[in-house]
Amino acid sequence: EKLRQSEKRWLEVNTTTQRLIAWEGNQPVRAVIISTGKRSTPTRLGVFAVQSKHRVARMQGDDYDVPDVPFTMYYSGGYAIHGAYWHNRFGTPVSHGCVNVAVDHAEWFFKWASVGTPVVV
């Protein structure tokens, strides 16, 4: 709520509507459709902040290994907002907990946000 009363930039991840929204204070700047974690591997809820930004990252888990993940912004451990070139099922929870964004949209958010930008999930 404090963020809405500020002029600060912050990101909202809405797992119910499958939307990523860029805010400046109480003004939404851009909203796009996303894919968050599926039921078995949910996206963690809470208030976080962008911890690191990578133009390209490699993501690995028990049952996946994806090279060249574009426009990756880690916000909580291995959880990240990033471009997803390997599916086009945005609006449906399909990820391992990350926030999947179409690559062109991911680039815009990557350029707009900085390390430290709050992420409200």
Side-chain angles (χ1 to χ4, degrees), residues 83-101:
Y85 56 79
W86 53 90
H87 76 84
N88 195 21
R89 294 177 58 203
F90 300 102
T92 308
V94 297
S95 83
H96 285 84
C98 283
V99 178
N100 286 192
V101 187

Side-chain angles (χ1 to χ4, degrees), residues 5-25:
Q5 288 152 16
S6 71
E7 299 294 306
K8 277 175 101 169
R9 289 183 171 194
W10 58 285
L11 292 166
E12 175 188 347
V13 176
N14 188 318
T15 57
T16 305
T17 60
Q18 294 291 296
R19 294 290 186 279
L20 172 63
I21 307 163
W23 293 85
E24 290 182 13

Side-chain angles (χ1 to χ4, degrees), residues 25-62:
N26 64 358
Q27 295 294 312
V29 181
R30 184 161 183 172
V32 299
I33 194 163
I34 56 172
S35 288
T36 57
K38 53 187 186 274
R39 191 170 288 145
S40 58
T41 53
T43 299
R44 279 178 60 193
L45 305 181
V47 180
F48 310 99
V50 174
Q51 292 170 350
S52 64
K53 292 173 62 174
H54 308 271
R55 175 67 190 68
V56 175
R58 178 178 179 182
M59 294 196 169
Q60 291 174 283
D62 290 340

Side-chain angles (χ1 to χ4, degrees), residues 55-71:
R55 175 67 190 68
V56 175
R58 178 178 179 182
M59 294 196 169
Q60 291 174 283
D62 290 340
D63 55 349
Y64 62 95
D65 183 357
V66 185
D68 304 327
V69 179
F71 306 115

Side-chain angles (χ1 to χ4, degrees), residues 20 30-33 71 101-110:
L20 172 63
R30 184 161 183 172
V32 299
I33 194 163
F71 306 115
V101 187
V103 173
D104 53 341
H105 296 315
E107 181 175 14
W108 185 92
F109 282 91
F110 185 86

